[in-house]
Structures are given as structure tokens and as C-alpha cells.
């Protein structure tokens, strides 16, 4: 899930000095609840990718990532 494994792995790799890329369209997450409000899976996914993309990883579509390899 984007908000768990993808986020943790990208941040840990960054801390270890790796340059990371995440195929944003090749991962997903689920809706979450906070203070009685349901946050849609799409919003959770977008928020975590936006946070990762600001510092920790380059966010690309899978086709773009494959093209860089």
C-alpha cells in the first residue's frame, strides 16, 4: 500500500543515500478513517505520492520508469 510499504521503503532508501523512483500508477492503497472522516483511497494515494515526490523520490508512471532503465 502506498501509505505503508511504498512510503516506508522510499524514505528508508533515501536515508541510506539511494536515489529512488516510484511508479505511481503501479501501486495503490485503501481508504482510511481519521476523526470520523473517511479519506478516499485516491486522496490517500495522491497525498503520499505528493509527499514522497517533494523530497524522497521521483514519481513517474510505470512506462516512464521502464523507459529510464
Amino acid at each position: 500500500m502506498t501509505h505503508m510499504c511504498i512510503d516506508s521503503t522510499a524514505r528508508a532508501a533515501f536515508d541510506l543515500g539511494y536515489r529512488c523512483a516510484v511508479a505511481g500508477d503501479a501501486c495503490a492503497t485503501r481508504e482510511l478513517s481519521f476523526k470520523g472522516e473517511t479519506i478516499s483511497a485516491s486522496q490517500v494515494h495522491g497525498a503520499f505520492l505528493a509527499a514522497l515526490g517533494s523530497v524522497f523520490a521521483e514519481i513517474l508512471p510505470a512506462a516512464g520508469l521502464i523507459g529510464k532503465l
Side-chain angles (χ1 to χ4, degrees):
M1 289 188 286
T2 311
H3 74 281
M4 297 292 292
C5 298
I6 301 298
D7 184 66
S8 298
T9 301
R11 288 172 184 263
F14 178 84
D15 288 345
L16 292 171
Y18 291 96
R19 290 181 41 220
C20 300
V22 173
D25 61 346
C27 55
T29 195
R30 63 178 175 86
E31 68 181 29
L32 298 175
S33 295
F34 183 70
K35 293 186 177 182
E37 181 181 344
T38 299
I39 300 99
S40 73
S42 176
Q43 289 175 314
V44 174
H45 181 71
F48 274 82
L49 289 180
L52 285 176
S54 67
V55 174
F56 302 99
E58 182 177 7
I59 310 300
L60 300 165
L65 184 58
I66 291 167
K68 290 187 92 169
L69 298 175

